[in-house]
Amino acid sequence: METDLVSRLEEAANRFVIPLRMNEGFDEQALLQLQEEIDRCGTAWREGTHVPKRAALILAELFPAIEACAWLYEGKMRQRIQEAGAMVSEAVTAALD
């Protein structure tokens, strides 16, 4: 089950970040899915004693990756991406708290 959670998290992260990085635009549905997967992981790990290493790496890299992508865009789109990065960061903090 742990491997499935991490795989789903990785897929959701890639579905959101890769199009941003490729300058293909912002996918609101992919952002919502990413937040759901972060929440799902947080719920699963809440009672545990550790977070899988691969998941920790994914979670640690999300905000910097999203923030870096924001600079590929201008104006309101850049601002929206930065807001999404902050939302993801908050979801990660809540999941690991």
Side-chain angles (χ1 to χ4, degrees), residues 18-33:
I18 289 174
L20 285 179
R21 188 174 291 142
M22 301 301 291
N23 206 13
E24 295 173 358
F26 185 93
D27 184 342
E28 193 74 41
Q29 284 301 112
L31 174 61
L32 293 174
Q33 183 65 38

Side-chain angles (χ1 to χ4, degrees), residues 71-85:
W71 294 99
L72 298 172
Y73 300 85
E74 296 181 3
K76 290 183 180 186
M77 182 56 70
R78 179 182 295 164
Q79 182 179 355
R80 178 64 186 115
I81 294 168
Q82 289 172 323
E83 290 168 357

